[in-house]
């Protein structure tokens, strides 16, 4: 980059870029006449883990592809590292790590070759790549498969390799589109641990997920997306506090009896924030005190087959905000 | 912190399309042997079956060609082989990069641009064509299919011909969304007839008018004229420039078209 251009970029961005590594206003993505992302605003700050939570088709991947400077923005403004993706895509991408929803590994190449070749795309020298590739294979626990083809690796191993590959250029921002979908619980925990360590090392994480526990574990802040819009924003705790009650009593009645029970239970509610959600297989009572709600149901002669009292989670927030369950 | 944010990436060099060629070289470690074997067997088959076998018949029936039949057909076979390899390499393998293994989508999330991915893939095909044509020529020479050093110019002629066609096929590969049935149509109704109507086996003066017009349109005929001119002479400078210009028009429009379709496909 030439000197005057750098100076100009510096002058333009020194104040706001310091706050937000990524900032979007009215960000919109349309495919023909279909609007996948409908004018969303958000900022991602340096060093935080920021999540997009939402059901299938919410527009998470479309947003990620715009942040990744792959898909052009239809309308609105987007700045990444203070730069405009429309004009400085390659320079921005040089500082990003991208884990796409679908792997793009070359199945014919070995683990090592996949990392090496990808590093070369960033213009890295062979000498710089050699130790980096070894380090990343170690990080992904794939050192033993270094010279094995990628094709026969398990889904979890391929995912770990994709994540390792995304780190080849020591990115400032790591974009992870459903990093753990399709992994078994143990593999997910290993990945969470890896991501947590990256965050400790100062990497800014942006991830999408439909897993509540993942969002709660990893994200400092998140937005809930639905139908291309942001319907809520905050830390997991803030969202729960703002959109749900402290406790949830889950009462399971005989199949077909849940709706009728929910009807009668509305009388058992107190307080204006308390409410009832009737799902096909169970009734959820959003209340301050779960045990008392269960007791009240007994008082009005409603005896569920089973009952359980738990704390509110993001799942409940999502149900509240969209009227739909997150995992379908 | 603001300065840190916008600092230029501390990466050694801006990547170029050659990084894509390098990727193909790494991948080729696994299949270069079969590539070479195929690159030897194909010309051998043609030399033995057509050049030598058919050549005996042709040479015995009057020598209007002025040179042995093998010398007449060798540069043309070489050019036709380049075109076929170019079409094959620019079709399904490129489609895989978009659709099946999706490697191109991975490339454009690095500093590489869709244009560079396109150029890199085409450069790789050009490398293959140069290697393959050299091999082809060596085998032709071993069987007495060459008479003078000028024949070496058949290698760039064949490569240019192959690339003129490959760029168009690459554009098609970036457009096709189905399982690639469009390629089957291309091979059956374009590539194979082109082989028959481009003066490969006999001068196109033997063709009826409509056949000659097919030849004039076909990049393969222009390439064949160039390669044959290199091999046995009799090609005026003006004609050579005309053939080169025609192929360049194909190549330049093909590359522009392919880059455009790569951009559209990879930046949805
Ligand atoms: N290239 C495209 N052309 C047309 N429509 C598209 C394209 N890509 C995405 N869409 C549509 O945009 C909407 C949002 O898709 P997107 O992939 O962003 O959702 P998502 O939140 O990532 O969903 P998922 O959880 O299933 O990955 C969907 O309705 C999808 O069909
Ligand atoms: Mg998605």
């Amino acid at each position: 980059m030439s000197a005057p251009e750098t100076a100009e970029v510096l002058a333009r961005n020194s104040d706001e870029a310091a706050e937000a590594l990524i900032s979007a206003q009215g960000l919109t993505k349309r495919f023909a006449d279909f609007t996948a992302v409908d004018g969303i605003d958000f900022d991602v700050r340096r060093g935080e883990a920021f999540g997009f939570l939402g059901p299938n088709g919410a527009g998470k991947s479309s947003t990620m592809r715009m942040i990744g400077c792959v898909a052009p923005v239809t309308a609105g403004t987007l700045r990444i590292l203070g730069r405009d993706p429309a004009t400085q895509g390659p320079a921005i991408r040089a500082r990003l790590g991208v884990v796409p929803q679908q792997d793009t590994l070359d199945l014919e190449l070995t683990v090592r070759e996949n990392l090496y070749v990808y590093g070369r795309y960033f213009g890295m020298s062979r000498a710089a790549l050699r130790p980096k590739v070894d380090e990343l294979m170690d990080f992904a626990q794939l050192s033993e498969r270094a010279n094995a083809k990628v094709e026969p690796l398990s889904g979890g191993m391929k995912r770990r390799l994709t994540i390792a590959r995304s780190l080849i250029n020591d990115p400032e921002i790591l974009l992870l589109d459903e990093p753990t979908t399709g992994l078994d619980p143990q593999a997910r925990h290993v990945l969470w641990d890896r991501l947590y360590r990256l965050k400790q090392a100062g990497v800014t994480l942006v991830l999408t997920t439909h897993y509540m526990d993942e969002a709660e574990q990893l994200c400092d802040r998140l937005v809930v997306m639905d139908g291309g819009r942001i319907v809520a924003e905050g830390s997991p705790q803030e969202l729960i506090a703002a959109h749900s009650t402290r406790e949830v009593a889950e009462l399971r009645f005989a199949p077909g009896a849940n709706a009728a029970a929910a009807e009668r239970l509305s009388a058992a509610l107190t307080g204006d924030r308390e409410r009832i959600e009737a799902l096909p297989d169970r009734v959820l009572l959003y209340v301050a005190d779960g045990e008392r709600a269960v007791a009240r149901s007994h008082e009005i002669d409603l005896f569920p087959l089973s009952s359980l009292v738990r704390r509110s989670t993001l799942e409940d927030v999502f149900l509240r905000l969209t009227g739909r369950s997150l995992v379908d | 912190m603001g300065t840190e944010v916008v600092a230029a990436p501390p990466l050694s060099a801006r990547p170029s399309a050659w990084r894509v060629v390098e990727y193909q070289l790494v991948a080729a470690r696994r299949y270069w042997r079969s590539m070479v074997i195929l690159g030897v067997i194909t010309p051998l088959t043609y030399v033995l079956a057509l050049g030598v076998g058919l050549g005996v018949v042709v040479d015995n029936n009057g020598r209007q060609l002025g040179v042995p039949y093998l010398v007449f057909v060798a540069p043309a076979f070489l050019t036709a082989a380049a075109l076929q390899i170019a079409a094959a390499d620019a079709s399904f393998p490129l489609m895989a990069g978009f659709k099946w293994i999706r490697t191109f989508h991975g490339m454009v999330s690095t500093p590489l641009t869709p244009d560079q991915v396109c150029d890199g893939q085409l450069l790789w095909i050009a490398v293959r064509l140069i290697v393959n044509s050299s091999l082809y020529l060596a085998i032709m020479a071993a069987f007495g299919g060459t008479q003078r050093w000028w024949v070496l110019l058949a290698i760039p002629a064949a490569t240019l011909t192959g690339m003129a066609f490959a760029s168009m096929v690459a554009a098609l590969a970036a457009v096709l969304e189905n399982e690639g049935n469009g390629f089957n149509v291309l091979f059956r109704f374009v590539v194979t007839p082109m082989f028959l109507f481009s003066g490969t086996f006999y001068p196109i003066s033997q063709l009826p008018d409509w056949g000659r017009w097919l030849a004039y349109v076909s990049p393969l005929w222009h390439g064949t004229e160039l390669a044959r001119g290199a091999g046995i002479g009799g090609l005026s400078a003006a004609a050579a420039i005309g053939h080169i210009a025609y192929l360049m028009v194909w190549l330049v429009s093909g590359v522009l078209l392919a880059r455009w379709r790569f951009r559209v496909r990879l930046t949805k």
Side-chain angles (χ1 to χ4, degrees):
Chain A
M1 178 179 289
S2 67
E5 197 186 334
T6 311
E8 184 211 322
V9 173
L10 284 178
R12 185 152 34 83
N13 299 300
S14 52
D15 30 29
E16 79 234 71
E19 312 302 327
L21 286 199
I22 306 173
S23 105
Q25 286 96 38
L27 185 61
T28 302
K29 181 73 193 176
R30 273 190 285 274
F31 298 104
D33 53 359
F34 177 78
T35 304
V37 179
D38 197 359
I40 61 174
D41 302 333
F42 62 88
D43 284 317
V44 179
R45 297 189 279 260
R46 177 178 287 278
E48 77 176 337
F50 186 88
F52 290 93
L53 190 63
N56 294 129
K60 306 182 296 294
S61 295
S62 304
T63 306
M64 291 293 260
R65 288 167 52 74
M66 287 190 282
I67 301 173
C69 306
V70 172
V73 170
T74 312
T77 28
L78 178 63
R79 291 290 176 276
I80 299 135
L81 300 167
R83 303 174 183 207
D84 181 356
T87 54
Q88 304 194 59
I92 300 170
R93 292 199 297 269
R95 308 304 310 146
L96 300 182
V98 178
V99 175
Q101 186 168 353
Q102 267 181 288
D103 286 332
T104 59
L105 299 167
D106 190 316
L107 305 176
E108 295 294 314
L109 299 194
T110 64
V111 168
R112 183 191 297 282
E113 286 166 342
N114 263 283
L115 293 170
Y116 171 81
V117 160
Y118 201 72
R120 296 290 287 162
Y121 296 157
F122 284 89
M124 296 169 72
S125 73
R126 291 184 182 81
L129 271 171
R130 214 166 296 119
K132 191 75 200 167
V133 166
D134 286 333
E135 177 200 320
L136 288 175
M137 288 192 300
D138 208 40
F139 172 86
Q141 295 175 307
L142 286 169
S143 301
E144 281 166 24
R145 309 296 289 265
N147 298 313
K149 266 199 199 183
V150 168
E151 172 105 69
L153 297 186
S154 76
M157 287 172 162
K158 286 190 183 118
R159 208 60 187 149
R160 290 211 301 269
L161 178 56
T162 297
I163 293 175
R165 190 181 74 164
S166 73
L167 298 171
I168 197 94
N169 58 329
D170 289 322
E172 271 168 73
I173 305 175
L174 188 56
L175 305 176
L176 303 129
D177 197 351
E178 298 192 18
T180 64
T181 297
L183 300 191
D184 65 32
Q186 203 209 333
R188 289 176 70 203
H189 282 280
V190 171
L191 264 180
W192 289 351
D193 170 63
R194 293 291 185 276
L195 294 178
Y196 189 72
R197 281 203 255 159
L198 285 171
K199 202 183 127 195
Q200 294 301 102
V203 178
T204 304
L205 304 180
V206 180
L207 61 121
T208 77
T209 182
H210 356 230
Y211 297 121
M212 247 57 45
D213 47 352
E214 187 157 287
E216 290 194 40
Q217 285 272 334
L218 291 175
C219 297
D220 301 313
R221 262 176 350 116
L222 52 94
V223 293
V224 179
M225 278 187 87
D226 190 33
R229 294 216 168 85
I230 290 178
V231 292
E233 175 172 2
S235 70
Q237 292 73 20
E238 285 167 0
L239 284 169
I240 292 166
H243 300 285
S244 193
T245 49
R246 204 169 67 87
E247 292 192 335
V248 188
E250 292 199 11
L251 308 185
R252 202 176 288 269
F253 294 93
N258 285 292
E263 196 89 13
R264 289 183 56 197
L265 277 164
S266 5
L269 295 184
T270 58
D272 39 294
R273 300 206 43 205
E274 300 194 339
R275 63 194 180 85
I276 284 191
E277 199 77 55
L279 301 183
D281 62 334
R282 60 196 196 278
V283 177
L284 304 182
L285 298 176
Y286 289 95
V287 290
D289 185 337
E291 292 300 344
R292 263 192 63 204
V294 175
R296 283 228 202 93
S297 107
H298 294 169
E299 282 164 20
I300 57 169
D301 290 332
L302 270 177
F303 295 98
L305 303 176
S306 67
S307 65
L308 124 93
V309 174
R310 58 171 176 80
R311 293 192 153 270
S312 274
T313 66
L314 284 175
E315 173 91 51
D316 303 301
V317 171
F318 192 82
L319 196 62
R320 173 80 181 124
L321 290 172
T322 68
R324 272 178 299 138
S325 188
L326 195 50
V327 181
D328 23 41
Chain B
M1 210 197 232
T3 53
E4 190 190 340
V5 167
V6 291
L11 300 164
S12 61
R14 284 321 261 312
S16 71
W18 288 103
R19 296 304 167 94
V20 180
V21 176
E22 188 183 342
Y23 153 64
Q24 293 293 349
L25 278 172
V26 170
R29 274 186 212 159
R30 218 145 271 109
Y31 62 80
W32 70 269
R33 281 179 206 85
S34 55
M35 215 172 87
V36 169
I37 291 172
L38 202 69
V40 171
I41 288 179
T42 312
L44 269 184
T45 323
Y46 274 98
V47 167
L48 296 178
L50 294 172
V52 179
L54 186 62
V56 170
V57 180
V58 175
D59 289 340
N60 287 345
N61 288 284
R63 297 179 148 255
Q64 304 122 307
L65 295 173
V67 290
Y69 189 60
L70 184 61
V71 175
F72 178 78
V73 290
F77 283 170
L78 183 151
T79 312
L83 185 104
Q84 270 164 347
I85 289 174
D89 279 16
S91 55
F92 289 104
L94 289 200
M95 192 151 177
F98 289 113
K99 192 177 160 70
W100 296 307
I101 49 170
R102 302 175 49 81
T103 37
F104 295 166
H105 296 277
M107 291 179 186
V108 295
S109 60
T110 74
L112 286 173
T113 62
D115 283 23
Q116 287 172 325
V117 174
C118 175
D119 292 355
Q121 291 294 332
L122 291 176
L123 280 170
W124 167 244
I125 296 175
V127 169
R128 271 212 61 182
L129 292 183
I130 292 170
V131 171
N132 206 81
S133 302
S134 308
L135 212 55
Y136 213 110
L137 193 63
I139 291 185
M140 292 299 178
F143 284 84
T146 57
Q147 286 185 335
R148 53 189 210 148
W149 284 106
W150 283 103
V151 75
L152 283 174
L153 288 178
I155 295 171
T159 305
L160 173 61
T161 311
M163 292 315 296
F165 196 65
S167 57
M168 293 290 183
V169 179
L172 181 64
V175 172
L176 290 184
E177 293 278 359
N178 57 21
E179 296 303 310
N181 298 327
F183 291 136
N184 296 330
V185 173
L186 178 83
F187 290 127
R188 207 158 300 162
F189 297 107
V190 180
V191 177
T192 307
M194 217 195 282
F195 194 35
L196 301 174
F197 288 96
S198 295
T200 306
F201 301 99
Y202 44 84
I204 60 163
S205 54
Q206 311 282 354
L207 286 172
D209 269 356
W210 59 269
R212 263 201 304 275
W213 278 104
L214 283 181
Y216 295 151
V217 178
S218 153
L220 184 55
W221 176 69
H222 296 271
T224 301
E225 285 298 294
L226 284 172
R228 188 169 279 151
I232 60 184
L235 181 70
S236 72
I241 289 169
H243 294 309
I244 291 172
Y246 183 78
L247 291 172
M248 287 304 293
V249 169
W250 267 70
L251 179 63
V252 171
S253 21
V255 169
L256 293 178
L257 206 59
R259 282 185 188 164
W260 171 49
R261 293 317 308 187
F262 268 63
R263 273 198 301 273
V264 170
R265 184 77 176 258
L266 294 175
T267 62
K268 277 210 180 113

